[in-house]
Amino acid sequence: MQRAETLAATSVAVALTVLGLKTVAWWMTGSVALFADALESVVNVAAAGAALVAIRYASMPADANHPYGHHKAEYFSAVLEGALILVAAFIILNEAWSSWNSPRAPELPLAAVAVAVLATAINAAWSWVLFRRGRALQSPALVADARHLLADVVTSTGAIAGLTLAMATGMLWLDPLLAAVTAVNILFSGVRLMRESVGGLMDEAMAPETMGRIRDVLSRAAEGAIEAHDIRARRAGRIAFVEFHLVVPGAMPVEDAHVICDRIEAALRAELGEATITIHVEPEGKAKHRGVVVL
């Protein structure tokens, strides 16, 4: 979690830097598309700060009031980021509509384009870092931040291209049009982010392919047992939670059943990473002849 905190703190610094650059580019041009781009960076700063707070809270150990840990705190950060994205999108749409009704010719000095391109390049590079490290650390907050930055890169590229095209052709309506397209793009990004984050808060089941991997592990590692059924799994941040019933021969000693459980737990953690595993051992009369038949 220390690495996740370091990445989140760096994200705040990167977001502030990019916000400063984009604000300068907007001030130099007066472009509504670049205004929209800068406004989204305000959201980036707020979201990066929320992610840092959430990751620090999620790293706290389990206590009497939170016996399963604080891992879900990262999902709250991701939901907040999604909500901030939606607010920014509606503000941008309002500004684009005003500019559409009263178009004005923005300026396009080369220095402003260079500043906007630099800000976009920084976001693109940092988004790649956050995707790679966030997935490796299984941090919903970092992955959410990466997705938002990627959407920002797309909209920034569109804003720069649209502004350049508007100035080259004299079609001033292209500037507010690109701002509106930017708003719609980040609107979908925000909705998707909130959907995934709420799924984590609601203990949504793991993806079918992950459940398939869990079943494969049980099939290989539960030698000596008869079957595993009622398999359930979810994820809260970086922690996986897996529970199931394991049917063993009725005459099997408790110690032997415990050895099988230990072997299964080790194999599941090797496959899923950090995990809390609950196994309910049952005698053969409880077999349901469904789930995973142990090879």
Side-chain angles (χ1 to χ4, degrees):
M1 289 301 292
Q2 185 61 43
R3 287 177 291 176
E5 282 190 42
T6 301
L7 286 165
T10 305
S11 280
V12 175
V14 170
L16 286 170
T17 301
V18 170
L19 173 60
L21 291 171
K22 289 186 176 183
T23 301
V24 169
W26 165 59
W27 176 76
M28 294 174 71
T29 63
S31 164
V32 67
L34 291 184
F35 167 77
D37 204 22
L39 185 61
E40 188 178 2
S41 288
V42 175
V43 177
N44 287 350
V45 174
L52 176 58
V53 172
I55 288 173
R56 284 182 175 173
Y57 189 77
S59 67
M60 295 172 60
D63 54 36
N65 289 328
H66 304 88
Y68 295 98
H70 302 78
H71 314 294
K72 285 189 177 182
E74 291 196 46
Y75 289 117
F76 285 103
S77 167
V79 169
L80 174 61
E81 182 165 355
L84 290 173
I85 291 173
L86 297 183
V87 171
F90 285 114
I91 293 175
I92 294 168
L93 283 172
N94 181 69
E95 185 67 20
W97 178 248
S98 297
S99 182
W100 179 273
N101 290 324
S102 303
R104 58 185 182 273
E107 298 179 4
L108 190 60
L110 184 60
V113 176
V115 170
V117 170
L118 175 60
T120 302
I122 292 173
N123 264 348
W126 189 242
S127 173
W128 179 81
V129 171
L130 285 181
F131 262 125
R132 187 168 60 88
R133 299 303 303 149
R135 285 170 174 166
L137 295 172
Q138 296 180 332
S139 169
L142 291 180
V143 172
D145 208 12
R147 284 181 175 168
H148 185 197
L149 288 180
L150 183 60
D152 194 15
V153 169
V154 173
T155 54
S156 296
T157 302
I160 296 170
L163 178 58
T164 304
L165 188 60
M167 294 301 296
T169 63
M171 294 185 290
L172 301 182
W173 51 268
L174 283 174
D175 188 33
L177 177 63
L178 263 294
V181 171
T182 294
V184 173
N185 182 56
I186 65 175
L187 189 65
F188 279 105
S189 174
V191 170
R192 178 186 177 192
L193 183 54
M194 292 186 71
R195 161 69 184 82
E196 293 178 355
S197 302
V198 169
L201 288 172
M202 294 296 292
D203 292 332
E204 192 174 68
M206 287 189 178
E209 55 269 22
T210 305
M211 293 302 297
R213 286 161 48 203
I214 291 173
R215 291 172 180 273
D216 289 342
V217 168
L218 292 176
S219 180
R220 296 193 308 268
E223 183 180 355
I226 297 172
E227 74 172 24
H229 58 248
D230 294 345
I231 304 166
R232 297 189 295 176
R234 62 183 175 89
R235 185 171 289 281
R238 72 183 192 281
I239 309 297
F241 290 85
V242 182
E243 59 182 82
F244 57 91
H245 293 202
L246 183 70
V247 179
V248 301
M252 176 177 283
V254 172
E255 184 176 356
D256 291 348
H258 189 270
V259 169
I260 296 174
C261 291
D262 284 346
R263 188 168 64 242
I264 292 173
E265 290 178 9
L268 285 173
R269 290 192 175 99
E271 180 69 27
L272 301 173
E274 193 170 351
T276 296
I277 303 164
T278 304
I279 305 175
H280 180 72
V281 178
E282 298 177 327
E284 56 192 298
K286 295 292 186 177
K288 295 185 177 180
H289 305 295
R290 59 183 174 83
V292 176
V293 177
V294 177
L295 300 178

